[in-house]
Amino acid sequence: MFYSADAQTWNRVTKPNFTVPNTDTFGNGRFVFAANGDSVLVSTDGTAWTKNTVATNSFIFSVAFAGGKFVAVGRNSSFTATAYNSPDGTTWTPANAIPGGSAGVGL
């Protein structure tokens, strides 16, 4: 992934090497990757990453940014679809998942 402040000069995002990210998004000045398991990885510069737990007993498949919020979807240990939202990619709040949904495979 690359990013640019002026659409002229492009910088490569250094993906974290301690996990294999599933999906990624950018918003509110932050890169957010869905990491394997219950966490996301957050960076403001695309090189230094912080791991943040979204919810225990949850597996996060996808992240997106829209309407000023990050959204993470996945499934819990019972394979029930789960969803969470966050203003900053760090603090996550449970949200309503689609009842009987497909366990959050994608956004």
Side-chain angles (χ1 to χ4, degrees):
M1 177 172 31
F2 292 85
Y3 68 95
S4 175
D6 60 9
Q8 300 293 317
T9 304
W10 292 89
N11 301 290
R12 181 184 295 271
V13 172
T14 304
K15 290 186 179 182
N17 62 5
F18 54 89
T19 188
V20 178
N22 289 328
T23 63
D24 56 72
T25 192
F26 180 83
N28 284 350
R30 295 169 185 250
F31 298 95
V32 177
F33 278 89
N36 290 332
D38 62 359
S39 302
V40 296
L41 303 167
V42 180
S43 175
T44 57
D45 63 6
T47 58
W49 296 90
T50 302
K51 187 174 183 180
N52 295 290
T53 299
V54 174
T56 56
N57 296 320
S58 194
F59 191 95
I60 303 303
F61 292 112
S62 296
V63 291
F65 183 82
K69 293 181 184 179
F70 292 96
V71 177
V73 296
R75 65 162 172 82
N76 62 21
S77 57
S78 300
F79 290 88
T80 302
T82 58
Y84 305 90
N85 62 52
S86 171
D88 57 12
T90 302
T91 305
W92 294 88
T93 304
N96 293 327
I98 299 170
S102 61
V105 174
L107 289 171

Coordinates of all heavy atoms in Angstrom, one line a residue:
M1 N 0.8 -1.2 0.0 CA 0.0 0.0 0.0 C 0.9 1.2 0.0 O 2.0 1.2 0.6 CB -0.9 0.0 1.2 CG -1.8 1.2 1.3 SD -3.1 1.3 2.6 CE -2.5 0.4 4.0
F2 N 0.4 2.3 -0.7 CA 1.1 3.6 -0.7 C 0.2 4.7 -0.3 O -1.0 4.5 -0.3 CB 1.5 3.9 -2.2 CG 2.6 3.0 -2.7 CD1 2.3 1.7 -3.2 CD2 3.9 3.3 -2.6 CE1 3.2 0.9 -3.7 CE2 4.9 2.5 -3.1 CZ 4.6 1.3 -3.6
Y3 N 0.7 5.8 0.2 CA -0.1 6.9 0.6 C 0.6 8.2 0.1 O 1.8 8.2 -0.1 CB -0.4 7.0 2.1 CG 0.8 7.2 2.9 CD1 1.1 8.5 3.4 CD2 1.7 6.2 3.3 CE1 2.2 8.8 4.2 CE2 2.8 6.4 4.1 CZ 3.0 7.7 4.5 OH 4.1 7.9 5.3
S4 N -0.2 9.3 -0.1 CA 0.4 10.6 -0.5 C -0.4 11.7 0.1 O -1.7 11.6 0.1 CB 0.3 10.6 -2.0 OG 0.8 11.9 -2.4
A5 N 0.2 12.7 0.5 CA -0.5 13.9 1.0 C -0.8 14.9 -0.1 O -1.7 15.7 0.0 CB 0.4 14.6 2.1
D6 N -0.1 14.8 -1.2 CA -0.3 15.7 -2.3 C -0.6 15.1 -3.7 O -0.7 15.8 -4.7 CB 0.9 16.6 -2.4 CG 2.2 15.8 -2.7 OD1 2.1 14.6 -3.0 OD2 3.3 16.4 -2.7
A7 N -0.7 13.8 -3.7 CA -1.0 13.0 -4.9 C 0.2 13.1 -5.9 O 0.1 12.7 -7.1 CB -2.3 13.4 -5.6
Q8 N 1.3 13.6 -5.5 CA 2.5 13.7 -6.3 C 3.7 12.8 -5.7 O 4.3 12.1 -6.5 CB 3.0 15.2 -6.4 CG 2.0 16.1 -6.9 CD 1.7 15.8 -8.4 OE1 2.7 15.6 -9.2 NE2 0.5 15.9 -8.8
T9 N 3.9 12.9 -4.4 CA 4.9 12.2 -3.8 C 4.3 11.0 -3.0 O 3.4 11.2 -2.2 CB 5.7 13.1 -2.8 OG1 6.2 14.2 -3.5 CG2 6.8 12.3 -2.1
W10 N 4.7 9.8 -3.3 CA 4.1 8.6 -2.7 C 5.1 7.9 -1.8 O 6.3 7.8 -2.0 CB 3.7 7.7 -3.8 CG 2.5 8.3 -4.6 CD1 2.6 9.1 -5.7 CD2 1.2 8.2 -4.3 NE1 1.4 9.5 -6.1 CE2 0.5 8.9 -5.3 CE3 0.4 7.5 -3.4 CZ2 -0.9 9.0 -5.3 CZ3 -1.0 7.6 -3.4 CH2 -1.6 8.4 -4.4
N11 N 4.5 7.4 -0.7 CA 5.3 6.7 0.3 C 4.7 5.3 0.5 O 3.5 5.1 0.6 CB 5.2 7.4 1.7 CG 5.7 8.8 1.6 OD1 6.9 9.1 1.4 ND2 4.8 9.8 1.6
R12 N 5.6 4.3 0.6 CA 5.2 3.0 0.9 C 4.9 2.7 2.3 O 5.6 3.1 3.2 CB 6.2 2.0 0.4 CG 5.8 0.5 0.6 CD 7.0 -0.4 0.2 NE 7.3 -0.4 -1.2 CZ 6.7 -1.1 -2.1 NH1 5.8 -2.0 -1.8 NH2 7.1 -1.0 -3.4
V13 N 3.8 2.1 2.6 CA 3.4 1.7 4.0 C 4.2 0.4 4.3 O 4.2 -0.5 3.5 CB 1.9 1.4 4.2 CG1 1.6 0.8 5.5 CG2 1.2 2.7 4.0
T14 N 4.9 0.4 5.4 CA 5.7 -0.8 5.8 C 4.7 -1.7 6.6 O 4.3 -1.3 7.7 CB 6.9 -0.4 6.7 OG1 7.7 0.5 6.0 CG2 7.7 -1.6 7.1
K15 N 4.3 -2.8 6.0 CA 3.4 -3.7 6.7 C 4.1 -4.3 7.9 O 5.3 -4.6 7.8 CB 2.9 -4.8 5.8 CG 2.0 -4.3 4.7 CD 1.4 -5.4 3.9 CE 0.4 -4.8 2.9 NZ -0.2 -5.9 2.1
P16 N 3.4 -4.4 9.0 CA 4.0 -5.0 10.2 C 4.5 -6.4 9.9 O 3.8 -7.2 9.2 CB 2.9 -5.0 11.2 CG 1.7 -4.5 10.5 CD 2.0 -4.1 9.2
N17 N 5.6 -6.8 10.5 CA 6.1 -8.1 10.2 C 5.8 -9.2 11.3 O 6.2 -10.3 11.2 CB 7.7 -8.1 10.1 CG 8.4 -7.6 11.4 OD1 7.7 -7.4 12.4 ND2 9.7 -7.4 11.3
F18 N 5.0 -8.8 12.3 CA 4.7 -9.8 13.4 C 3.3 -10.4 13.2 O 2.8 -11.1 14.0 CB 4.8 -9.2 14.8 CG 4.1 -7.9 15.0 CD1 2.7 -7.9 15.4 CD2 4.6 -6.7 14.8 CE1 2.0 -6.7 15.6 CE2 4.0 -5.5 15.0 CZ 2.7 -5.5 15.4
T19 N 2.7 -10.1 12.1 CA 1.4 -10.7 11.8 C 1.1 -10.6 10.3 O 1.8 -9.9 9.6 CB 0.2 -10.0 12.6 OG1 -1.0 -10.8 12.4 CG2 0.0 -8.6 12.1
V20 N 0.2 -11.4 9.8 CA -0.2 -11.3 8.4 C -1.6 -10.5 8.4 O -2.6 -11.1 8.8 CB -0.4 -12.7 7.8 CG1 -0.9 -12.6 6.4 CG2 0.9 -13.4 7.9
P21 N -1.6 -9.3 7.9 CA -2.8 -8.5 7.9 C -3.9 -9.1 7.0 O -3.5 -9.6 5.9 CB -2.4 -7.1 7.5 CG -0.9 -7.1 7.5 CD -0.5 -8.5 7.5
N22 N -5.1 -9.0 7.3 CA -6.2 -9.5 6.5 C -6.6 -8.4 5.5 O -6.6 -8.5 4.3 CB -7.4 -10.0 7.3 CG -7.1 -11.3 8.0 OD1 -6.3 -12.1 7.5 ND2 -7.7 -11.5 9.2
T23 N -7.1 -7.3 6.1 CA -7.5 -6.2 5.2 C -7.0 -4.9 5.9 O -6.6 -4.9 7.0 CB -9.1 -6.0 5.1 OG1 -9.6 -5.8 6.4 CG2 -9.7 -7.3 4.5
D24 N -7.0 -3.8 5.1 CA -6.5 -2.5 5.7 C -7.4 -1.4 5.2 O -8.2 -1.5 4.3 CB -5.1 -2.3 5.2 CG -5.0 -2.3 3.7 OD1 -5.4 -1.4 3.1 OD2 -4.4 -3.3 3.2
T25 N -7.3 -0.3 5.9 CA -8.0 0.9 5.6 C -7.3 2.1 6.2 O -6.3 2.0 6.9 CB -9.5 0.9 6.2 OG1 -10.3 1.9 5.6 CG2 -9.5 1.0 7.7
F26 N -7.7 3.3 5.7 CA -7.1 4.6 6.2 C -8.2 5.6 6.5 O -9.2 5.7 5.8 CB -6.2 5.1 5.2 CG -5.5 6.4 5.6 CD1 -4.4 6.4 6.4 CD2 -6.0 7.7 5.3 CE1 -3.8 7.6 6.9 CE2 -5.5 8.8 5.7 CZ -4.3 8.8 6.5
G27 N -8.1 6.2 7.7 CA -9.0 7.3 8.0 C -8.6 8.0 9.3 O -7.8 7.5 10.1
N28 N -9.0 9.2 9.4 CA -8.7 10.1 10.6 C -7.1 10.1 10.8 O -6.7 10.1 12.0 CB -9.4 9.6 11.9 CG -10.8 10.0 11.9 OD1 -11.3 10.8 11.1 ND2 -11.6 9.5 12.8
G29 N -6.4 10.1 9.7 CA -4.9 10.1 9.9 C -4.3 8.9 10.3 O -3.1 8.9 10.8
R30 N -5.0 7.7 10.2 CA -4.4 6.5 10.7 C -4.6 5.3 9.7 O -5.7 5.2 9.1 CB -5.1 6.0 12.0 CG -4.8 7.0 13.2 CD -5.8 6.7 14.3 NE -5.5 7.7 15.4 CZ -5.0 7.5 16.5 NH1 -4.6 6.3 16.8 NH2 -4.8 8.5 17.4
F31 N -3.6 4.5 9.6 CA -3.7 3.2 8.9 C -4.2 2.2 9.9 O -3.7 2.1 11.1 CB -2.4 2.8 8.4 CG -1.8 3.7 7.4 CD1 -0.9 4.7 7.8 CD2 -2.2 3.7 6.0 CE1 -0.4 5.6 6.9 CE2 -1.6 4.5 5.1 CZ -0.7 5.5 5.5
V32 N -5.2 1.3 9.5 CA -5.6 0.3 10.4 C -5.7 -1.0 9.6 O -6.3 -1.1 8.5 CB -7.0 0.6 11.0 CG1 -7.5 -0.6 11.9 CG2 -7.0 1.8 11.9
F33 N -5.0 -2.1 10.1 CA -5.0 -3.4 9.5 C -5.7 -4.3 10.4 O -5.6 -4.3 11.6 CB -3.5 -3.9 9.4 CG -2.8 -3.4 8.2 CD1 -2.0 -2.3 8.3 CD2 -2.8 -4.1 7.0 CE1 -1.3 -1.8 7.2 CE2 -2.1 -3.7 5.9 CZ -1.3 -2.5 6.0
A34 N -6.6 -5.2 9.8 CA -7.1 -6.3 10.6 C -6.1 -7.4 10.7 O -5.6 -7.9 9.7 CB -8.4 -6.9 9.9
A35 N -5.7 -7.6 11.9 CA -4.6 -8.6 12.2 C -5.3 -10.0 12.4 O -6.5 -10.1 12.5 CB -3.8 -8.2 13.4
N36 N -4.5 -11.0 12.4 CA -5.0 -12.3 12.7 C -5.5 -12.4 14.1 O -4.8 -12.0 15.0 CB -4.0 -13.4 12.4 CG -3.6 -13.6 11.0 OD1 -4.5 -13.3 10.1 ND2 -2.4 -14.0 10.7
G37 N -6.7 -12.8 14.3 CA -7.2 -13.0 15.7 C -8.1 -11.8 16.1 O -8.8 -11.3 15.3
D38 N -7.9 -11.4 17.4 CA -8.8 -10.5 18.0 C -8.4 -9.0 17.9 O -8.9 -8.2 18.6 CB -9.1 -10.8 19.4 CG -7.8 -10.8 20.3 OD1 -6.7 -10.5 19.7 OD2 -7.9 -11.1 21.5
S39 N -7.4 -8.7 17.1 CA -6.7 -7.4 17.1 C -6.7 -6.7 15.8 O -6.9 -7.3 14.7 CB -5.2 -7.6 17.6 OG -5.2 -8.2 18.9
V40 N -6.3 -5.4 15.9 CA -6.0 -4.6 14.7 C -4.7 -4.0 15.0 O -4.2 -3.8 16.1 CB -7.1 -3.5 14.5 CG1 -8.4 -4.1 14.1 CG2 -7.2 -2.5 15.6
L41 N -4.0 -3.6 13.9 CA -2.7 -2.8 14.0 C -3.0 -1.4 13.5 O -3.6 -1.2 12.5 CB -1.7 -3.5 13.2 CG -1.5 -5.0 13.5 CD1 -0.7 -5.7 12.4 CD2 -0.8 -5.1 14.8
V42 N -2.5 -0.4 14.3 CA -2.7 1.0 14.0 C -1.4 1.7 13.8 O -0.4 1.5 14.6 CB -3.5 1.6 15.1 CG1 -3.8 3.1 14.8 CG2 -4.9 0.9 15.3
S43 N -1.3 2.6 12.8 CA -0.1 3.4 12.6 C -0.5 4.8 12.1 O -1.5 4.9 11.3 CB 0.8 2.7 11.6 OG 1.9 3.6 11.3
T44 N 0.2 5.8 12.6 CA -0.1 7.2 12.1 C 0.9 7.5 11.0 O 0.7 8.5 10.2 CB 0.0 8.2 13.2 OG1 1.3 8.1 13.8 CG2 -1.1 8.0 14.2
D45 N 2.0 6.7 10.8 CA 3.0 7.1 9.8 C 3.3 5.9 8.8 O 4.1 6.1 7.9 CB 4.3 7.5 10.5 CG 4.9 6.3 11.4 OD1 4.4 5.2 11.3 OD2 5.9 6.6 12.1
G46 N 2.6 4.8 9.0 CA 2.8 3.7 8.1 C 4.1 2.9 8.3 O 4.4 2.0 7.6
T47 N 4.8 3.2 9.4 CA 6.0 2.4 9.7 C 6.0 1.8 11.1 O 6.4 0.7 11.3 CB 7.3 3.3 9.5 OG1 7.2 4.4 10.3 CG2 7.4 3.7 8.0
A48 N 5.6 2.6 12.1 CA 5.5 2.1 13.5 C 4.1 1.7 13.8 O 3.1 2.5 13.5 CB 5.9 3.2 14.4
W49 N 3.9 0.5 14.3 CA 2.6 -0.1 14.5 C 2.3 -0.4 15.9 O 3.2 -0.9 16.7 CB 2.5 -1.4 13.6 CG 2.6 -1.1 12.2 CD1 3.7 -1.0 11.4 CD2 1.5 -0.7 11.3 NE1 3.4 -0.7 10.1 CE2 2.1 -0.5 10.0 CE3 0.1 -0.6 11.5 CZ2 1.3 -0.1 9.0 CZ3 -0.6 -0.2 10.4 CH2 -0.1 0.0 9.2
T50 N 1.1 -0.3 16.3 CA 0.6 -0.6 17.7 C -0.5 -1.6 17.5 O -1.4 -1.4 16.8 CB 0.1 0.6 18.5 OG1 1.2 1.6 18.5 CG2 -0.3 0.2 19.8
K51 N -0.4 -2.7 18.3 CA -1.4 -3.7 18.3 C -2.5 -3.4 19.3 O -2.2 -3.1 20.5 CB -0.8 -5.1 18.6 CG -1.8 -6.3 18.4 CD -1.0 -7.6 18.6 CE -1.9 -8.7 18.3 NZ -1.2 -10.0 18.5
N52 N -3.8 -3.4 18.9 CA -4.9 -3.1 19.8 C -5.9 -4.2 19.7 O -6.3 -4.6 18.6 CB -5.6 -1.8 19.4 CG -4.7 -0.6 19.6 OD1 -4.3 -0.2 20.7 ND2 -4.2 -0.1 18.5
T53 N -6.3 -4.7 20.9 CA -7.4 -5.7 20.9 C -8.7 -5.1 20.7 O -9.1 -4.1 21.3 CB -7.4 -6.5 22.3 OG1 -6.1 -7.1 22.5 CG2 -8.4 -7.5 22.4
V54 N -9.5 -5.7 19.7 CA -10.8 -5.2 19.5 C -11.8 -5.8 20.5 O -12.5 -5.2 21.2 CB -11.3 -5.6 18.0 CG1 -12.7 -5.2 17.8 CG2 -10.4 -4.9 17.0
A55 N -11.8 -7.2 20.6 CA -12.6 -7.9 21.5 C -12.0 -9.3 21.7 O -11.6 -9.9 20.8 CB -14.0 -8.0 21.0
T56 N -12.0 -9.7 23.0 CA -11.5 -11.1 23.2 C -12.6 -12.1 22.7 O -13.7 -11.7 22.6 CB -11.3 -11.3 24.7 OG1 -12.5 -11.0 25.4 CG2 -10.1 -10.4 25.3
N57 N -12.1 -13.3 22.4 CA -13.0 -14.3 21.9 C -13.7 -13.9 20.5 O -14.8 -14.2 20.2 CB -14.1 -14.7 22.9 CG -13.5 -15.4 24.1 OD1 -12.5 -16.1 24.0 ND2 -14.1 -15.0 25.2
S58 N -12.9 -13.1 19.8 CA -13.4 -12.6 18.5 C -12.3 -12.8 17.5 O -11.2 -12.7 17.8 CB -13.9 -11.2 18.6 OG -14.7 -10.8 17.5
F59 N -12.7 -13.0 16.2 CA -11.7 -13.1 15.1 C -12.1 -12.0 14.1 O -13.2 -12.1 13.5 CB -11.8 -14.5 14.5 CG -10.6 -14.7 13.6 CD1 -9.5 -15.3 14.0 CD2 -10.7 -14.3 12.2 CE1 -8.4 -15.5 13.1 CE2 -9.6 -14.4 11.4 CZ -8.5 -15.1 11.8
I60 N -11.3 -11.0 13.9 CA -11.6 -9.9 13.0 C -11.1 -10.2 11.6 O -10.0 -10.6 11.4 CB -10.9 -8.6 13.6 CG1 -11.3 -8.3 15.0 CG2 -11.2 -7.5 12.6 CD1 -12.8 -8.2 15.2
F61 N -12.0 -10.2 10.7 CA -11.7 -10.5 9.3 C -11.5 -9.2 8.5 O -10.7 -9.2 7.5 CB -12.9 -11.2 8.6 CG -13.1 -12.6 9.2 CD1 -14.2 -13.0 9.9 CD2 -12.1 -13.6 8.9 CE1 -14.3 -14.2 10.4 CE2 -12.3 -14.9 9.4 CZ -13.4 -15.2 10.1
S62 N -12.3 -8.2 8.7 CA -12.2 -7.0 7.8 C -12.3 -5.7 8.6 O -13.0 -5.7 9.7 CB -13.4 -7.0 6.8 OG -13.2 -8.1 6.0
V63 N -11.7 -4.6 8.1 CA -11.9 -3.3 8.6 C -12.2 -2.3 7.5 O -11.8 -2.6 6.3 CB -10.6 -2.8 9.4 CG1 -10.4 -3.6 10.7 CG2 -9.4 -2.9 8.6
A64 N -12.9 -1.3 7.8 CA -13.2 -0.2 6.8 C -13.3 1.1 7.6 O -13.4 1.1 8.8 CB -14.5 -0.6 6.1
F65 N -13.3 2.2 6.8 CA -13.5 3.5 7.4 C -14.6 4.2 6.6 O -14.5 4.3 5.4 CB -12.2 4.3 7.4 CG -12.4 5.7 8.0 CD1 -12.3 5.8 9.4 CD2 -12.6 6.8 7.3 CE1 -12.4 7.0 10.0 CE2 -12.7 8.0 7.9 CZ -12.7 8.1 9.3
A66 N -15.6 4.8 7.3 CA -16.7 5.5 6.6 C -17.4 6.3 7.7 O -17.5 5.9 8.8 CB -17.6 4.6 5.9
G67 N -17.9 7.5 7.3 CA -18.7 8.3 8.2 C -17.9 8.7 9.5 O -18.6 8.8 10.5
G68 N -16.6 8.8 9.4 CA -15.8 9.3 10.5 C -15.5 8.2 11.5 O -15.0 8.4 12.6
K69 N -15.8 6.9 11.2 CA -15.6 5.8 12.1 C -14.9 4.6 11.4 O -15.1 4.4 10.2 CB -16.9 5.2 12.6 CG -17.7 6.2 13.5 CD -18.9 5.5 14.0 CE -19.7 6.4 14.9 NZ -21.0 5.8 15.4
F70 N -14.1 3.9 12.1 CA -13.6 2.6 11.7 C -14.6 1.6 12.1 O -15.3 1.7 13.1 CB -12.3 2.3 12.4 CG -11.2 3.2 12.0 CD1 -10.8 4.3 12.7 CD2 -10.4 2.9 10.8 CE1 -9.8 5.1 12.4 CE2 -9.4 3.8 10.4 CZ -9.1 4.9 11.2
V71 N -14.8 0.6 11.2 CA -15.7 -0.6 11.5 C -14.9 -1.8 11.3 O -14.1 -2.0 10.4 CB -16.9 -0.6 10.5 CG1 -17.8 -1.8 10.8 CG2 -17.7 0.7 10.7
A72 N -15.0 -2.8 12.3 CA -14.4 -4.1 12.2 C -15.4 -5.1 12.3 O -16.4 -5.0 13.1 CB -13.4 -4.2 13.3
V73 N -15.4 -6.1 11.4 CA -16.3 -7.2 11.5 C -15.6 -8.5 11.5 O -14.4 -8.7 11.1 CB -17.3 -7.2 10.2 CG1 -18.2 -6.0 10.2 CG2 -16.5 -7.4 9.0
G74 N -16.3 -9.5 12.1 CA -15.7 -10.8 12.3 C -16.7 -11.8 12.8 O -17.9 -11.7 12.6
R75 N -16.2 -12.7 13.7 CA -17.0 -13.7 14.3 C -16.5 -14.0 15.7 O -15.3 -13.7 16.0 CB -17.1 -15.0 13.5 CG -15.7 -15.7 13.5 CD -15.8 -17.1 13.1 NE -14.6 -17.8 12.9 CZ -13.8 -18.2 13.8 NH1 -14.1 -18.2 15.1 NH2 -12.6 -18.8 13.5
N76 N -17.4 -14.5 16.6 CA -16.9 -14.9 17.9 C -16.7 -16.4 17.9 O -16.7 -17.0 16.9 CB -17.9 -14.4 19.0 CG -19.3 -15.1 18.8 OD1 -19.4 -16.1 18.1 ND2 -20.3 -14.5 19.4
S77 N -16.4 -16.9 19.1 CA -16.0 -18.3 19.2 C -17.2 -19.3 18.9 O -17.0 -20.4 18.7 CB -15.5 -18.6 20.6 OG -16.4 -18.3 21.6
S78 N -18.4 -18.7 18.9 CA -19.6 -19.5 18.5 C -19.9 -19.3 17.0 O -21.0 -19.7 16.6 CB -20.8 -19.0 19.3 OG -20.5 -19.2 20.7
F79 N -19.0 -18.7 16.3 CA -19.2 -18.4 14.8 C -20.4 -17.5 14.6 O -21.0 -17.6 13.5 CB -19.3 -19.7 14.1 CG -18.0 -20.5 14.0 CD1 -17.7 -21.4 15.0 CD2 -17.1 -20.2 13.0 CE1 -16.5 -22.0 15.0 CE2 -15.9 -20.9 12.9 CZ -15.6 -21.8 14.0
T80 N -20.7 -16.7 15.5 CA -21.8 -15.6 15.3 C -21.1 -14.4 14.8 O -20.1 -14.0 15.3 CB -22.5 -15.4 16.6 OG1 -23.0 -16.6 17.1 CG2 -23.6 -14.3 16.5
A81 N -21.7 -13.7 13.8 CA -21.2 -12.5 13.3 C -21.1 -11.4 14.4 O -22.0 -11.3 15.2 CB -22.1 -12.0 12.1
T82 N -20.0 -10.7 14.3 CA -19.7 -9.6 15.3 C -19.3 -8.3 14.5 O -18.8 -8.4 13.4 CB -18.6 -9.9 16.3 OG1 -17.4 -10.2 15.6 CG2 -19.1 -11.1 17.2
A83 N -19.6 -7.2 15.1 CA -19.2 -5.9 14.5 C -18.8 -4.9 15.6 O -19.4 -5.0 16.7 CB -20.3 -5.3 13.7
Y84 N -17.8 -4.1 15.3 CA -17.4 -3.1 16.3 C -17.1 -1.8 15.6 O -16.8 -1.8 14.4 CB -16.1 -3.6 17.0 CG -16.2 -4.9 17.6 CD1 -16.0 -6.1 16.9 CD2 -16.7 -5.1 18.9 CE1 -16.2 -7.3 17.5 CE2 -16.8 -6.3 19.5 CZ -16.6 -7.4 18.8 OH -16.8 -8.7 19.3
N85 N -17.2 -0.7 16.3 CA -16.8 0.6 15.6 C -15.8 1.4 16.6 O -15.8 1.1 17.8 CB -18.0 1.4 15.2 CG -18.9 1.8 16.4 OD1 -18.4 2.4 17.3 ND2 -20.1 1.6 16.3
S86 N -15.1 2.3 16.0 CA -14.1 3.0 16.7 C -13.8 4.4 16.0 O -13.7 4.4 14.8 CB -12.8 2.2 16.7 OG -11.7 3.0 17.2
P87 N -13.6 5.4 16.8 CA -13.3 6.7 16.2 C -11.8 6.8 15.8 O -11.5 7.6 15.0 CB -13.6 7.7 17.3 CG -13.5 7.0 18.6 CD -13.9 5.5 18.2
D88 N -11.0 6.0 16.4 CA -9.5 6.1 16.3 C -8.8 4.8 16.0 O -7.6 4.9 15.8 CB -8.9 6.8 17.5 CG -9.2 6.0 18.8 OD1 -9.7 4.8 18.7 OD2 -9.0 6.5 19.9
G89 N -9.5 3.7 15.9 CA -8.8 2.4 15.6 C -8.2 1.8 16.8 O -7.6 0.7 16.8
T90 N -8.3 2.5 18.0 CA -7.7 2.0 19.2 C -8.7 1.6 20.2 O -8.6 0.5 20.8 CB -6.9 3.2 19.9 OG1 -5.9 3.6 18.9 CG2 -6.2 2.7 21.1
T91 N -9.8 2.3 20.4 CA -10.8 2.0 21.4 C -12.0 1.5 20.6 O -12.5 2.3 19.7 CB -11.2 3.2 22.2 OG1 -10.0 3.7 22.9 CG2 -12.3 2.9 23.2
W92 N -12.5 0.3 20.8 CA -13.6 -0.3 20.1 C -14.8 -0.5 20.9 O -14.7 -0.9 22.0 CB -13.1 -1.6 19.5 CG -12.0 -1.4 18.5 CD1 -10.7 -1.3 18.7 CD2 -12.2 -1.2 17.1 NE1 -10.0 -1.1 17.6 CE2 -10.9 -1.0 16.5 CE3 -13.3 -1.2 16.2 CZ2 -10.7 -0.8 15.2 CZ3 -13.0 -1.0 14.9 CH2 -11.8 -0.8 14.4
T93 N -16.0 -0.3 20.3 CA -17.3 -0.5 20.9 C -18.1 -1.5 20.1 O -18.2 -1.4 18.9 CB -18.0 0.9 21.0 OG1 -17.2 1.8 21.6 CG2 -19.4 0.7 21.7
P94 N -18.8 -2.4 20.8 CA -19.6 -3.4 20.0 C -20.7 -2.6 19.3 O -21.3 -1.6 19.7 CB -20.2 -4.3 21.1 CG -19.3 -4.2 22.3 CD -18.7 -2.7 22.2
A95 N -21.0 -3.1 18.1 CA -22.0 -2.5 17.2 C -23.0 -3.7 16.8 O -22.6 -4.9 17.0 CB -21.4 -1.9 16.0
N96 N -24.1 -3.4 16.2 CA -25.0 -4.4 15.8 C -24.5 -5.1 14.5 O -24.3 -4.4 13.5 CB -26.4 -3.8 15.5 CG -27.0 -3.3 16.8 OD1 -26.8 -3.9 17.9 ND2 -27.8 -2.3 16.7
A97 N -24.3 -6.4 14.6 CA -23.9 -7.1 13.4 C -25.3 -7.6 12.7 O -26.3 -7.5 13.3 CB -23.1 -8.4 13.8
I98 N -25.2 -8.0 11.5 CA -26.3 -8.4 10.8 C -26.8 -9.7 11.4 O -26.0 -10.7 11.5 CB -26.0 -8.7 9.3 CG1 -25.6 -7.4 8.6 CG2 -27.2 -9.3 8.6 CD1 -25.0 -7.5 7.3
P99 N -28.0 -9.8 11.9 CA -28.5 -11.0 12.5 C -28.5 -12.2 11.5 O -28.9 -12.0 10.4 CB -30.0 -10.7 12.9 CG -30.0 -9.2 13.0 CD -29.0 -8.8 11.9
G100 N -27.9 -13.3 12.0 CA -27.8 -14.4 11.1 C -26.8 -14.2 9.9 O -26.8 -14.9 8.9
G101 N -25.9 -13.2 10.1 CA -25.0 -12.8 9.1 C -24.0 -13.8 8.8 O -23.9 -14.9 9.4
S102 N -23.1 -13.6 7.8 CA -22.1 -14.6 7.4 C -20.9 -14.5 8.2 O -19.8 -14.7 7.7 CB -21.8 -14.3 5.9 OG -21.3 -13.0 5.8
A103 N -21.0 -14.3 9.5 CA -19.8 -14.3 10.4 C -18.8 -13.3 10.0 O -17.6 -13.5 10.2 CB -19.2 -15.7 10.5
G104 N -19.2 -12.2 9.4 CA -18.3 -11.1 9.2 C -17.1 -11.4 8.2 O -16.0 -10.9 8.4
V105 N -17.4 -12.2 7.2 CA -16.3 -12.5 6.3 C -15.8 -11.3 5.5 O -14.6 -11.2 5.2 CB -16.8 -13.6 5.3 CG1 -15.7 -13.9 4.2 CG2 -17.1 -14.9 6.1
G106 N -16.6 -10.3 5.3 CA -16.1 -9.1 4.6 C -17.0 -7.9 4.8 O -18.1 -8.1 5.3
L107 N -16.6 -6.8 4.4 CA -17.4 -5.6 4.5 C -18.0 -5.2 3.1 O -17.4 -5.5 2.1 CB -16.6 -4.4 5.0 CG -16.2 -4.5 6.4 CD1 -15.2 -3.4 6.8 CD2 -17.4 -4.3 7.3

